[in-house]
Amino acid sequence: VICFPGLYSQVKRSVKIDLKQKTYSMPGPAASDGARPLRQVAAEVMAYWQGNAYKVVEAGEVIVFKGNVEASKSNAFFLSFCTFVGTGTLALVLSNSPLNNIGPIEIGSWYYLMTLSAPFAGLYYWNNAPKEDEVRVRLQTTDDELETEVTVQAPKEKLEIFMRTMNYNEKGMVRVKGILPDQFI
């Protein structure tokens, strides 16, 4: 019974976007190895986001991209499944509790009718999922132009794909090649 508010919270939070901000660093224009001009880095970043169906909304110090997001059928089905299991578990607990009888009325297995609400969780997600996604990108070089920083604010999943596709390293981190090839990740 205590877990029911968690189930409600899971359904409500399913439509919220988890924005993260990460800063990636690379050799700047004045660096001796792997140097790329800031304009080239900006062009690559613009080409990446525009290639993923994002449009430039604002191009100042911070470049703002907006793109349409389609609601995920798999997320809707998964949310319905989780709600089905959660309400089924709640029904099991309630059917074996002292609340099984309310006065002279015996509820018994009627608690399991709560599982019929599961498709409505998927429907809630489908109707309220975000329709538009926003990505903010800021490019800057250090004063000595030895390092270029790309700061990106986007949904977590998009950041991971961006980092792998562009082959960027997060600032202060070193990329270590894993055991498995990249196609398995």
Side-chain angles (χ1 to χ4, degrees), residues 46-135:
M46 292 272 275
Y48 173 82
W49 290 110
Q50 288 177 339
N52 285 305
Y54 282 81
K55 304 266 187 262
V56 177
V57 176
E58 182 182 323
E61 186 174 321
V62 175
I63 305 167
V64 180
F65 297 94
K66 286 200 179 190
N68 293 329
V69 179
E70 184 178 324
S72 169
K73 291 178 188 174
S74 61
N75 282 353
F77 286 125
F78 180 71
L79 191 60
S80 295
F81 174 74
C82 288
T83 304
F84 178 79
V85 171
T87 53
T89 305
L90 180 63
L92 178 66
V93 169
L94 289 175
S95 66
N96 292 320
S97 73
L99 297 175
N100 196 14
N101 295 331
I102 299 178
I105 303 169
E106 184 176 333
I107 296 175
S109 297
W110 290 101
Y111 281 119
Y112 288 99
L113 288 176
M114 287 190 298
T115 58
L116 295 176
S117 67
F120 292 108
L123 187 64
Y124 173 80
Y125 169 80
W126 193 259
N127 290 334
N128 296 313
K131 309 289 188 241
E132 198 170 77
D133 211 1
E134 184 177 279
V135 174

Side-chain angles (χ1 to χ4, degrees), residues 1 31 38-39 50 71 99 107 119 131 133 158 161 169 173:
V1 177
L38 190 60
R39 289 179 87 56
Q50 288 177 339
L99 297 175
I107 296 175
K131 309 289 188 241
D133 211 1
K158 306 262 186 202
I161 296 168
N169 290 330
M173 304 281 208

Side-chain angles (χ1 to χ4, degrees), residues 20 23 36 39 41 70-71 75 138 148:
K20 297 287 182 191
T23 302
R36 293 188 301 197
R39 289 179 87 56
V41 174
E70 184 178 324
N75 282 353
R138 181 177 184 186
T148 299

Side-chain angles (χ1 to χ4, degrees), residues 123-172:
L123 187 64
Y124 173 80
Y125 169 80
W126 193 259
N127 290 334
N128 296 313
K131 309 289 188 241
E132 198 170 77
D133 211 1
E134 184 177 279
V135 174
R136 295 178 172 273
V137 178
R138 181 177 184 186
L139 299 166
Q140 58 188 18
T141 58
T142 56
D143 291 335
D144 57 3
E145 292 192 349
L146 289 176
E147 186 178 63
T148 299
E149 293 180 356
V150 180
T151 304
V152 183
Q153 181 183 11
K156 185 178 178 182
E157 301 83 28
K158 306 262 186 202
L159 275 177
E160 294 297 325
I161 296 168
F162 174 75
M163 181 180 76
R164 270 192 257 131
T165 304
M166 300 298 284
N167 202 21
Y168 286 169
N169 290 330
E170 201 170 337
K171 186 175 182 179

